[in-house]
Amino acid sequence: MAGRDLRALFSTNDRTVAAAEAFTNRQTQWDLAAAALTEHLRHIADPGFDVEDLERPRNNVIVFHGVGGIGKTTLSRKLEAALAGADQRPAQWGEPAWSEERILPVRIDLSRSAGTTFEDLVLTIRAALTELDQPLPAFDIALRRYWEKQHPGESLEEYLSRRGLAARFGKAMPQQMQSALSDVAQALLLPGTVGTAIGALTGSLVKALRERRQTVRALAGCARLEALLEAEPDLDALSFYPHLLAWELAQLPANKQAVPVVLLDTFEDVGDRTHRDLERLIQRVVWLMPNVLFVVTGRSRLQWADPGLQGQLDYTGPTAWPGLSSPADGIPAARAARPAAGYGRQVLVGDFSPEDCDDHLARRLTHDGQPLIGAEIRQIITDRSHGLPLYLDLSVMRFLEIRRTRRPVPADFDHDFGALIARTLSDLTPDERHVLRSISLLDAFDLPLATAAAGLPHEAPAMRLIERPFIRENPFGLWPFHLHGLIRSTIRSADDATDDRWSARDWKQAADRALAALGTQWAARTDRDRVLLVGCLRQGLPLARDFRLDLGWLADAAWAYVSDSVWEPIAPPARPGGTSNLQTAADALVELLAALARRQHEHRSVTTSRLTTITNSGLLPADLHEMALYYLAKAHRDLGHSPASRQGMQLVAEGGGRLAPAARRGLAHLARLAGDFPTAYETAQTLGWAGRQHRVEGDIIWPHGDMNRAAAAYIAARDQAEQHGVAGERATSQAQRALVLAFTDPDTADDELHLAEQLLTGLDLRATGFTVRIASLVRDAGALPDLEAARALRTEIRDTGITAAEAVLELALAFHHAVQGEEDKVCVVISRLRELAGTGDYAYYADIAHYMARLPLPTTTTARWLDTEDQTRARWYNLVNARRIHTGHAR
């Protein structure tokens, strides 16, 4: 459904453009409102329902809340129209269960711009009831008495006309009131003109009620009428008069009955959370009219069920307002995507889906029945909007503005609107605004983090802020709260024209506070909390980079990150402005950790290029520079660049820093790859746990065909890693154990492979993943149905540039062909192994393939084995022969 969008219509001279005020389907909200009304009707129809029962809990209010610009006012208007008549209800909303009931909707705009007073609210409800064409004497007498006392000499009829109520509801209200008062005067046998004798009328009526005269028996049924007529007719008394309206509605004959639905829009403008005078009066109206359904729309949930408000409001707590109370798990309403059981009357008006955004934009502006805004521009706007309707509307106006002088292009809508900032901040206290800007620096936060980032000594402003609908909650997240995406990006990047806007220095100081707060949270945990470590790095790195801050705790956190060899993605988004040049230590650290994580998914040549740039920049402190050197040397080794790798490893080993043991391990690996097993083994004996001695021993032993001894070394390595809590090392050692046992015992290898896969869960270790898949091929050697899996794996390995993994894969294929007696295919594999050994490393892999098939070596081996070549040859052939027996290929 859509009406005329006058603002858009008056923004262009092109009369062929149709500007429609598009209403995008809010099916969920309608369903919830309809369900609330259905339940309300059932409740008031219950024989036990008593409109004068002032102690029974109230469930006659439903709240739709959400961020500014989410479409709450549009929803309120559409609900009013849909309740007024079926012709105004979108077809997709369907036929409600109460279609035979008479519903009387009345919407009241509480925005500051509307200037609605509490008097206006009460008068609006009464004016809407003129449609019933029934006298309401109890209320009308009380109202007339109030009016003459508070507005002496001012005609109620003139006031209604001036405030627009006469035009909206007709002029019947004064006449109905006059008729009601005349009837009462006549029943009391009072002479004269009623309008000038309201005091006498009231006094006579009170006396008659006290004496229980039969002439006023109808009004005598209202137990509290006498007290209200005797009370001082001030604003406080006026707030109790709606009880009389509720009573009058309950007295209507069946053929005149109707159910009012009062829609209170822009409730956030009722007042702040310190001064609740107007809110107290409005809440009183809701409580005293239990037979009326109130639909509240505003930015924040109603806090009426909060026991802490006792004394500020008349009726508070979860017993009074069960539908507004917080759920047992304490998740604030602002983050509840759908109402939970027992918590169904606080409803978040959510963001539009991408499909709804596109539909909204397509229908807002049309030309000859076709969308004026093209699909590509609609896509850009949708992506940036995060589903916020206000952003869509602002973009529509920007489209028309640009169209005056030229054709709009997609790049025009990569744009932030400062108006969103003003809209978001408008009803926040200064402290809340300060916290909001501070948390916009963070992806997620909790109360202590938000408070520390804001530099405030108390949590109260942050506690108030998380109740706002632009704060979302994931109760299972490391930090439970996060800021609405569009609001966050706008606050960070749009021109801020507010009076308390921050300077560049303010932003940097806030970033410094946020970084320090993250470091404090990380340092406070004495256990190895990997999730917290990664979360702190992901939030801290962009702060240090974007605001040119000192590394501080990030350096130690970087070492903790690499120590587990898990390699979760950790790189923050690109720097604002798009520059990728390394300018600060934070820039270099971000690039270093990103390169180390990405090497699991990139060719090692890309890794060497990135790490070379980092080491050449000279921006990192000495210990982190050593980290970059070490992993650069590792990448060179994976690529088969042994001289470059050896040089880097030697530098790190001689430096004596944290990675010196790892570098010595790297030198042992390089000796092994060159076939110098005695040197490699001798070096391994000096490594200890820090240098992963047991795993290095296994890597040296298994090429000799001594699989049981290698398996023992790997299990020792795995157990050590488990004792030290290093998940990556544990998974790598287990994968290597599964590989060597796959050569000797396929049945045992099944269990070892299953354990390796379990240990790899949640880790990003691509090379270790390759080892597990190769081990599966070795386990099935001699019985592989085809080699498609092996070919696919070879392609993946080559895409990474990890030469060692490709060499082991070829060795697995040689084993398979040797078991099947396919010597010609073994020779093909040997040719590929010779190509891999072109740099001089990995040459002994081709020798092993010869040993498996009992083929003579074309030249003398260059490998220096730990024992004799004949012993190594025999072990490999025995493994092949044992597998032949196992698979039925024995000759």
Side-chain angles (χ1 to χ4, degrees):
M1 303 292 294
R4 300 286 278 178
D5 181 357
L6 297 180
R7 193 160 64 102
L9 189 66
F10 281 85
S11 296
T12 177
N13 291 329
D14 189 347
R15 298 183 182 181
T16 66
V17 173
E21 190 175 29
F23 176 75
T24 300
N25 179 28
R26 288 289 192 179
Q27 183 71 52
T28 300
Q29 286 77 22
W30 166 254
D31 290 343
L32 292 168
L37 181 53
T38 301
E39 171 60 22
H40 178 72
L41 292 169
R42 185 201 63 76
H43 174 65
I44 63 177
D46 188 286
F49 174 76
D50 181 3
V51 75
E52 291 189 290
D53 185 347
L54 300 182
E55 297 180 1
R56 188 169 183 171
R58 296 299 194 252
N59 208 30
N60 62 325
V61 59
I62 182 169
V63 182
F64 293 101
H65 60 100
V67 299
I70 200 66
K72 303 179 295 297
T73 292
T74 303
L75 174 64
S76 180
R77 289 171 176 162
K78 183 52 61 176
L79 288 174
E80 179 189 30
L83 293 171
D87 59 323
Q88 296 295 312
R89 187 172 61 246
Q92 63 268 31
W93 283 5
E95 187 75 13
W98 32 262
S99 56
E100 299 302 319
E101 299 282 350
R102 186 183 181 189
I103 306 300
L104 189 62
V106 51
R107 179 176 170 275
I108 301 174
D109 184 357
L110 298 173
S111 66
R112 295 186 183 95
S113 60
T116 303
T117 66
F118 181 69
E119 283 185 349
D120 293 332
L121 183 146
V122 174
L123 291 173
T124 300
I125 295 174
R126 173 60 184 92
L129 296 179
T130 58
E131 187 175 323
L132 301 175
D133 195 24
Q134 285 289 113
L136 304 173
F139 175 84
D140 288 349
I141 290 172
L143 178 62
R144 174 67 72 176
R145 178 168 176 261
Y146 167 86
W147 194 260
E148 295 211 353
K149 177 65 181 294
Q150 298 300 325
H151 297 267
E154 183 176 10
S155 164
L156 177 61
E157 185 173 8
E158 291 177 0
Y159 183 89
L160 294 174
S161 296
R162 188 168 66 252
R163 301 296 289 177
L165 295 177
R168 182 177 174 188
F169 299 106
K171 299 182 179 181
M173 178 179 162
Q175 287 84 354
Q176 286 187 5
M177 291 181 65
Q178 187 75 6
S179 174
L181 269 61
S182 296
D183 290 344
V184 173
Q186 185 177 0
L188 294 171
L189 303 177
L190 292 177
T193 304
V194 175
T196 60
I198 188 64
L201 174 63
T202 304
S204 297
L205 178 57
V206 169
K207 183 178 180 182
L209 290 171
R210 191 174 293 133
E211 295 172 355
R212 293 184 173 82
R213 296 181 196 170
Q214 284 297 311
T215 55
V216 292
R217 62 181 179 277
L219 291 176
C222 183
R224 296 174 178 86
L225 174 59
E226 178 186 339
L228 288 174
L229 292 179
E230 286 188 308
E232 178 67 21
D234 54 16
L235 192 66
D236 194 60
L238 178 66
S239 68
F240 288 100
Y241 293 175
H243 169 72
L244 302 177
L245 276 181
W247 181 81
E248 295 277 22
L249 286 170
Q251 312 312 307
L252 294 175
N255 64 338
K256 293 288 187 177
Q257 286 184 354
V259 178
V261 176
V262 177
L263 300 105
L264 302 176
D265 189 31
T266 325
F267 202 83
E268 68 271 13
D269 280 359
V270 162
D272 60 41
R273 298 186 176 192
T274 302
H275 304 93
R276 296 179 180 266
D277 296 338
L278 178 55
E279 184 179 3
R280 183 175 65 253
L281 299 176
I282 295 175
Q283 189 211 50
R284 196 174 287 165
V285 171
V286 177
W287 185 270
L288 296 176
M289 302 189 76
N291 50 353
V292 174
L293 180 66
F294 290 83
V295 180
V296 175
T297 45
R299 293 193 186 181
S300 302
R301 70 182 183 93
L302 288 184
Q303 296 181 306
W304 297 352
D306 184 352
L309 292 184
Q310 187 173 10
Q312 296 186 63
L313 300 175
D314 290 351
Y315 312 97
T316 58
T319 301
W321 305 96
L324 305 180
S325 62
S326 298
D329 59 12
I331 301 174
R335 270 75 63 190
R338 284 178 175 273
Y343 187 47
R345 298 303 175 92
Q346 300 263 29
V347 182
L348 178 68
V349 181
D351 303 323
F352 281 175
S353 68
E355 294 78 13
D356 281 346
C357 289
D358 186 76
D359 178 67
H360 181 92
L361 293 168
R363 291 189 289 115
R364 277 295 302 275
L365 300 175
T366 57
H367 176 73
D368 292 336
Q370 297 300 312
L372 185 63
I373 304 176
E376 189 175 358
I377 292 179
R378 296 202 307 270
Q379 183 65 54
I380 294 289
I381 297 172
T382 294
D383 291 345
R384 286 189 61 87
S385 73
H386 290 259
L388 188 67
L390 177 59
Y391 185 91
L392 305 180
D393 293 340
L394 292 171
S395 296
V396 167
M397 300 310 295
R398 178 173 174 79
F399 181 92
L400 291 173
E401 179 183 351
I402 295 171
R403 189 172 176 267
R404 294 172 190 167
T405 56
R406 59 177 174 82
R407 182 185 182 89
V409 297
D412 294 326
F413 297 90
D414 186 11
H415 184 75
D416 292 308
F417 294 102
L420 285 171
I421 300 178
R423 189 77 171 264
T424 303
L425 299 179
S426 62
D427 62 336
L428 301 182
T429 66
D431 277 352
E432 288 171 350
R433 293 155 79 107
H434 184 77
V435 174
L436 178 63
R437 288 189 170 96
S438 300
I439 62 173
S440 72
L441 294 167
L442 298 166
D443 297 328
F445 61 93
D446 56 15
L447 281 175
L449 185 56
T451 303
L456 296 177
H458 48 279
E459 291 184 348
M463 291 175 65
R464 293 194 302 268
L465 195 68
I466 65 170
E467 292 294 317
R468 302 288 183 166
F470 49 71
I471 303 294
R472 305 297 168 83
E473 181 172 18
N474 173 11
F476 306 107
L478 175 60
W479 293 285
F481 307 117
H482 63 274
L483 186 57
H484 185 284
L486 177 62
I487 292 173
R488 182 187 180 207
S489 66
T490 303
I491 289 175
R492 288 288 306 276
S493 57
D495 291 335
D496 188 344
T498 57
D499 292 339
D500 59 349
R501 61 187 178 277
W502 279 6
S503 67
R505 182 181 176 83
D506 292 330
W507 281 108
K508 185 168 185 177
Q509 289 175 340
D512 209 356
R513 292 192 301 266
L515 182 63
L518 288 165
T520 299
Q521 288 203 356
W522 175 63
R525 295 296 294 265
T526 57
D527 57 340
R528 296 177 64 89
D529 190 334
R530 182 77 185 180
V531 175
L532 178 62
L533 166 67
V534 171
C536 287
L537 279 171
R538 284 177 177 163
Q539 297 222 69
L541 286 170
L543 287 172
R545 179 198 65 184
D546 297 344
F547 292 92
R548 297 174 174 268
L549 305 178
D550 293 336
L551 293 182
W553 63 269
L554 288 171
D556 287 338
W559 282 107
Y561 171 74
V562 302
S563 67
D564 285 342
S565 300
V566 178
W567 311 120
E568 304 93 330
I570 205 166
R575 173 197 298 278
T579 178
S580 59
N581 295 331
L582 302 183
Q583 301 173 16
T584 66
D587 287 333
L589 181 57
V590 168
E591 177 64 7
L592 171 59
L593 297 183
L596 297 185
R598 282 298 302 165
R599 71 195 176 106
Q600 306 299 327
H601 307 280
E602 293 176 337
H603 195 279
R604 286 298 193 266
S605 61
V606 177
T607 304
T608 57
S609 176
R610 296 178 72 173
L611 293 177
T612 298
T613 300
I614 294 167
T615 56
N616 289 343
S617 73
L619 292 170
L620 289 172
D623 60 336
L624 292 175
H625 180 75
E626 174 190 282
M627 181 192 293
L629 278 178
Y630 170 74
Y631 283 102
L632 175 59
K634 278 194 71 172
H636 277 307
R637 188 186 74 207
D638 289 339
L639 290 168
H641 303 161
S642 291
S645 179
R646 189 172 289 106
Q647 181 183 15
M649 292 294 183
Q650 196 68 48
L651 281 172
V652 176
E654 291 173 354
R658 299 194 207 193
L659 287 174
R664 289 194 294 272
R665 178 176 76 241
L667 293 171
H669 282 312
L670 288 167
R672 171 178 61 83
L673 296 180
D676 187 356
F677 291 102
T679 299
Y681 194 76
E682 181 181 354
T683 304
Q685 303 314 298
T686 70
L687 297 178
W689 155 248
R692 310 299 190 256
Q693 176 176 329
H694 291 307
R695 176 159 64 85
V696 175
E697 288 174 346
D699 292 345
I700 294 168
I701 292 168
W702 82 257
H704 293 75
D706 194 348
M707 300 306 182
N708 290 330
R709 186 179 165 205
Y714 285 132
I715 197 171
R718 184 196 72 194
D719 291 347
Q720 251 189 353
E722 190 161 357
Q723 291 169 9
H724 287 83
V726 182
E729 177 63 24
R730 181 179 61 173
T732 298
S733 298
Q734 177 59 32
Q736 290 295 130
R737 175 175 167 80
L739 173 66
V740 298
L741 290 177
F743 280 104
T744 63
D745 187 347
D747 295 331
T748 300
D750 267 338
D751 293 335
E752 300 295 337
L753 279 168
H754 181 65
L755 178 57
E757 289 166 351
Q758 283 185 318
L759 296 181
L760 270 173
T761 302
L763 305 182
D764 198 0
L765 298 173
R766 198 161 188 195
T768 302
F770 290 153
T771 301
V772 170
R773 292 166 67 182
I774 294 169
S776 298
L777 295 173
V778 173
R779 177 197 59 193
D780 299 332
L784 291 169
D786 57 58
L787 298 181
E788 285 303 316
R791 295 188 188 100
L793 181 55
R794 182 189 292 124
T795 300
E796 286 188 53
I797 292 173
R798 286 178 176 174
D799 286 342
T800 66
I802 303 176
T803 307
E806 188 173 356
V808 177
L809 173 62
E810 297 299 343
L811 202 63
L813 292 175
F815 185 62
H816 169 70
H817 294 311
V819 170
Q820 292 196 320
E822 299 170 335
E823 292 183 2
D824 56 334
K825 293 183 180 179
V826 174
C827 290
V828 173
V829 172
I830 289 172
S831 296
R832 290 200 292 267
L833 286 170
R834 295 281 185 212
E835 291 178 10
L836 289 173
T839 61
D841 291 333
Y842 306 100
Y844 60 88
Y845 279 83
D847 294 351
I848 293 172
H850 282 88
Y851 300 160
M852 288 177 179
R854 273 195 168 178
L855 297 173
L857 292 177
T859 58
T860 304
T861 181
T862 58
R864 295 178 59 226
W865 302 103
L866 293 178
D867 42 27
T868 67
E869 179 186 354
D870 288 342
Q871 288 174 306
T872 301
R873 179 190 295 271
R875 291 192 197 98
W876 279 109
Y877 180 73
N878 288 339
L879 289 172
V880 172
N881 205 40
R883 182 60 60 88
R884 283 176 174 167
I885 294 171
H886 180 79
T887 59
H889 288 87
R891 289 183 283 184

